[in-house]
Amino acid sequence: MAIRTVATTPYDDQKPGTSGLRKKTRIFAERPHYVENFVQAVLDVMGEVRGATFVLGGDGRHFADEALRRTLAVLAGNRVGRVIVGARGLFSTPAVSCVIRRRRARGGFLLTASHNPGGPDGDFGIKVNVANGGPAPESLTRRIHARSRELRRYHVADLPPDLDLARLGEVRLEATVVEVVDPVADYADMLEGLFDFAAIRRLFAGGFRMAFDALHGVTGPYARHILEERLGAPAGTVRRGDPRPDFGGLHPDPNLTWCRGLVQEVVAEGRLDFAAACDGDGDRNMILGRGIFVSPCDSLAVLADRADDAPGYRGRVRGVARSMPTSRALDRVAQAHRFAFFETPTGWKFFGDLLDAGLIQLCGEESFGTGSDHVREKDGLWAVLFWLQLLAASGESVAAILHRHWQRYGRDWFSRHDYERLDPEAAAGLLADLRGRLAALEGTVWHGARLVQAEDFAYRDPLSGEEVAHQGLRFRFDDDSRITLRLSGTGTEGATLRLYLERYGREGLMRDVGEVLAPVAARARALCEIERRFGRRGPDVVT
Ligand code: G16
């Protein structure tokens, strides 16, 4: 096997977004050296990588096999010491985070566009993780982008054509050992150490009925092993459990829009005790109970409130965090339990320092992400097991747990409205325009409520001192409602405007979220002049 240095021309669009580089699959597949350039740019800014260990895998989407071999060739070309690859190229995002930490790796490459659809006309992506197991922080992604714009060469090793990435074991390629591992084992052991598996086994043995929808993403093999084999859930509990390159034509995004069938079965028809779904790469989760949808904001608040029910967290939670647009349900729990509380910009990378320093143990986001200090990624199956733990420990239903929570703390009705494929200039214009009028907007009245505070969210990491500005605009009204807006950093076509709507109340706790938030949604549309600016009458996706 030879190592070669290949001359290349740089691209100027390899700017990582909210989580990694995410583009249309055909951009990765058709542009010469596109994958190699990006991987080399990452390695160049990581310092000395010779001899270091990296973890590599993904959700198995279209083009992942090809990208995996090309990434591996660049890693070996840079003489890294070891690459730990998930068998058949599969590795969930939280499992990679787990393995980076357990094996003291320098970092990892995740070949996934997360919840975005896959296939030749879908999306592809490369997430980059660092030594703490978490996504590359802003300071690093800025340097990666700068490096990618000046890159003139990359190093690459010729891989043997018969290299079999399905067979467990080690192969030496010059200076690099390629170690193909079972992607499930370490991760499943880790979860078994956090939760009372015996209690959850008893729950299933007692006839408890659940469904887990893997949406043909990477979590199928994990869920089958953990739920059906280790915990004794009946065979067939895991649905759509075989990872497919095009996710069976589905959108692998666990939310009310893309899991309509499951929501109908469990929430509307009440045919199961519990159901959950995860996204393509396994870091997101959706939780459903008989007759009830648990909003990700409420899920986070309930887990924080009842953390003592799980052996891995008993007496151990001292601090919690949520992203800025996530509802304030967590704030109320933090106050009652006297937890330290942090509010960060959107993006899991902003939790990393807080988790590393032990300032927080649990954190989450409205975008169906919940997690803890067990890894440095949000973790879909972890959240599912945490809920199973609560159900097993309390003997209550999901609905009873949630109702009791609202009775104690009041309810934060929350919904997100996404306007997709907007003209990027018009979308940026909206934010710039509102940003310029924030002070003038304070005191104005919109659909019966007075706007009491308008701000442009900025964040200073309390540990690194790193600062980020313009993370979203936030409007607070005198009826205890909030509207937050920002542009997505994970879309691949035009701009996606996210409107986050919420309202707090202690009365009529069972009222429907759509009904409670209707005036807030109307206010948001008026404030943003959605119809005039974009010619749209309503959102594309409501979650
Ligand atoms: C990523 C990030 C999350 C973020 C989400 C949505 O999730 O890891 O922290 O909340 O994107 O970001 P945006 O609103 O910018 O689209 P994932 O699951 O796509 O990696």
Side-chain angles (χ1 to χ4, degrees):
M1 187 191 81
I3 289 180
R4 294 175 289 123
T5 296
V6 178
T8 189
T9 39
Y11 292 97
D12 64 7
D13 68 344
Q14 296 195 322
K15 182 173 193 257
T18 309
S19 186
L21 183 66
R22 215 171 278 186
K23 304 268 177 206
K24 287 279 156 211
T25 308
R26 79 182 93 80
I27 291 184
F28 280 94
E30 291 169 11
R31 291 196 187 161
H33 317 293
Y34 200 78
V35 171
E36 289 86 348
N37 273 24
F38 184 69
V39 175
Q40 185 67 56
V42 173
L43 296 178
D44 282 353
V45 300
M46 277 195 167
E48 180 59 82
V49 294
R50 271 180 297 181
T53 297
F54 284 86
V55 183
L56 176 60
D59 58 11
R61 67 178 58 220
H62 180 79
F63 189 65
D65 283 348
E66 167 84 12
L68 187 106
R69 294 185 82 87
R70 285 162 65 178
T71 303
L72 185 55
V74 176
L75 286 165
N78 283 270
R79 298 175 189 281
V80 309
R82 181 173 289 264
V83 185
I84 301 170
V85 187
R88 295 190 297 130
L90 298 179
F91 240 139
S92 79
T93 291
V96 164
S97 187
C98 163
V99 173
I100 290 174
R101 295 171 67 77
R102 287 199 161 191
R103 300 288 302 271
R104 298 185 191 286
R106 175 69 69 81
F109 290 89
L110 287 132
L111 308 170
T112 174
S114 194
H115 57 286
N116 297 23
D121 298 319
D123 294 343
F124 192 76
I126 305 181
K127 291 185 178 183
V128 178
N129 284 32
V130 294
N132 74 350
E138 279 283 304
S139 52
L140 192 70
T141 56
R142 274 192 218 125
R143 283 163 55 216
I144 293 169
H145 184 216
R147 179 66 189 144
S148 71
R149 300 175 78 170
E150 58 181 32
L151 196 85
R152 295 275 164 202
R153 56 96 189 102
Y154 60 85
H155 308 298
V156 69
D158 295 321
L159 301 185
D162 60 349
L163 181 64
D164 183 358
L165 295 173
R167 210 176 52 224
L168 304 188
E170 294 188 354
V171 183
R172 180 168 275 282
L173 302 176
E174 293 272 332
T176 305
V177 174
V178 177
E179 179 185 344
V180 180
V181 300
D182 169 7
V184 177
D186 276 355
Y187 174 78
D189 290 347
M190 174 189 66
L191 291 186
E192 187 150 7
L194 295 172
F195 302 109
D196 182 353
F197 270 35
I200 302 174
R201 257 196 301 272
R202 284 197 294 277
L203 186 70
F204 282 119
F208 177 84
R209 289 176 59 222
M210 83 168 275
F212 176 88
D213 193 342
L215 296 169
H216 292 304
V218 77
T219 52
Y222 292 86
R224 277 205 182 118
H225 177 72
I226 295 169
L227 296 174
E228 296 184 6
E229 290 171 24
R230 292 203 189 189
L231 291 169
T237 295
V238 177
R239 301 178 182 177
R240 297 193 274 210
D242 51 319
R244 294 192 191 168
D246 65 346
F247 305 107
L250 302 168
H251 212 119
D253 195 359
N255 61 35
L256 293 174
T257 298
W258 300 115
C259 294
R260 225 169 251 145
L262 193 65
V263 173
Q264 173 70 22
E265 180 181 347
V266 185
V267 179
E269 295 164 17
R271 286 199 268 131
L272 294 170
D273 298 306
F274 180 63
C278 283
D279 71 334
D281 65 329
D283 54 2
R284 297 184 176 211
N285 74 89
M286 179 180 69
I287 301 292
L288 306 172
R290 190 189 298 277
I292 201 154
F293 161 73
V294 184
S295 100
C297 307
D298 281 343
S299 176
L300 172 64
V302 169
L303 299 190
D305 189 42
R306 298 184 159 222
D308 282 347
D309 282 357
Y313 299 91
R314 194 163 296 145
R316 212 173 66 71
V317 177
R318 291 182 308 280
V320 294
R322 63 162 171 82
S323 67
M324 175 271 286
T326 303
S327 91
R328 296 162 292 176
L330 181 69
D331 314 23
R332 307 177 204 288
V333 173
Q335 205 183 8
H337 288 263
R338 298 174 193 273
F339 294 152
F341 171 78
F342 298 86
E343 185 179 44
T344 58
T346 293
W348 205 262
K349 57 192 166 193
F350 294 104
F351 295 133
D353 277 358
L354 302 173
L355 291 163
D356 284 348
L359 292 176
I360 60 169
Q361 286 70 42
L362 295 176
C363 49
E365 298 185 278
E366 50 64 42
S367 54
F368 294 81
T370 341
S372 86
D373 57 358
H374 68 298
V375 289
R376 293 294 179 274
E377 286 281 1
K378 54 190 185 279
D379 188 344
L381 269 164
W382 170 89
V384 175
L385 288 185
F386 211 136
W387 270 94
L388 285 170
Q389 174 80 74
L390 299 189
L391 298 169
S394 66
E396 292 176 313
S397 67
V398 175
I401 289 178
L402 212 53
H403 293 165
R404 195 203 293 252
H405 188 90
W406 293 336
Q407 271 159 6
R408 173 161 182 205
Y409 292 103
R411 181 171 175 187
D412 293 271
W413 283 269
F414 179 91
S415 182
R416 190 177 92 189
H417 290 193
D418 293 339
Y419 292 81
E420 298 180 337
R421 292 177 301 281
L422 300 180
D423 170 30
E425 265 180 46
L430 161 67
L431 269 93
D433 179 26
L434 288 175
R435 193 172 284 131
R437 295 194 288 131
L438 290 178
L441 284 167
E442 286 185 359
T444 55
V445 174
W446 300 81
H447 290 262
R450 184 176 300 277
L451 199 165
V452 288
Q453 194 189 15
E455 60 167 334
D456 184 2
F457 186 76
Y459 179 69
R460 182 168 193 277
D461 186 306
L463 293 144
S464 68
E466 208 174 280
E467 289 183 20
V468 284
H470 308 314
Q471 296 298 302
L473 302 178
R474 199 151 64 166
F475 303 93
R476 198 160 58 75
F477 295 84
D478 65 358
D479 62 349
D480 229 337
S481 69
R482 285 203 318 178
I483 296 169
T484 303
L485 57 119
R486 55 180 284 281
L487 298 181
S488 161
T490 58
T492 59
E493 233 181 307
T496 298
L497 174 67
R498 301 209 194 283
L499 295 180
Y500 308 85
L501 316 172
E502 61 178 290
R503 184 168 183 183
Y504 176 69
R506 299 201 66 101
E507 306 294 323
L509 296 173
M510 300 310 292
R511 271 177 305 155
D512 175 67
V513 67
E515 172 201 323
V516 172
L517 293 179
V520 186
R523 208 176 285 163
R525 282 196 301 274
L527 189 64
C528 298
E529 302 171 283
I530 295 285
E531 197 163 352
R532 182 186 72 73
R533 284 178 192 269
F534 307 111
R536 301 283 180 89
R537 305 196 68 152
D540 297 284
V541 178
V542 173
T543 53

